[in-house]
């Protein structure tokens, strides 16, 4: 259970990192770092589902991974 809570906290911090820096205009590069971190979390989640034989469960991981990757890519273009 502690690992699940840690992942949840990291996802909430990642979401805050995507929203707050662009809104405040302070350290906007943190939004790109947060997007990259969320990509890594989703890669780990998809790998875990595949390892457990839950291939049908990775649809949401793929969608979130793609949206975080696009956010990171677009964010680097605006830096």
């Amino acid at each position: 259970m502690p690992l699940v809570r840690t992942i949840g906290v990291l996802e909430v911090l990642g979401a805050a990192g995507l929203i707050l820096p662009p809104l405040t205009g302070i350290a906007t590069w943190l939004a790109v770092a947060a997007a990259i971190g969320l990509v890594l979390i989703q890669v780990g989640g998809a790998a875990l589902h595949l390892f457990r034989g839950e291939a049908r469960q990775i649809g949401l991981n793929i969608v979130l991974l793609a949206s975080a990757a696009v956010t990171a890519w677009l964010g680097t273009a605006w830096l």
Side-chain angles (χ1 to χ4, degrees):
M1 195 62 176
L3 181 61
V4 173
R5 288 186 179 141
T6 302
I7 293 169
V9 167
L10 290 174
E11 288 180 351
V12 169
L13 290 174
L18 286 176
I19 296 168
L20 294 177
L23 281 180
T24 61
I26 300 170
T28 54
W29 60 271
L30 286 174
V32 174
I36 292 169
L38 290 172
V39 165
L40 295 175
I41 288 173
Q42 293 310 315
V43 167
L48 182 65
H49 283 303
L50 290 174
F51 178 73
R52 289 183 172 179
E54 302 168 344
R56 300 174 87 175
Q57 302 294 325
I58 65 169
L60 181 60
N61 293 106
I62 292 170
V63 170
L64 293 173
L65 179 123
S67 61
V70 167
T71 302
W73 180 59
L74 291 175
T76 57
W78 290 344
L79 287 179

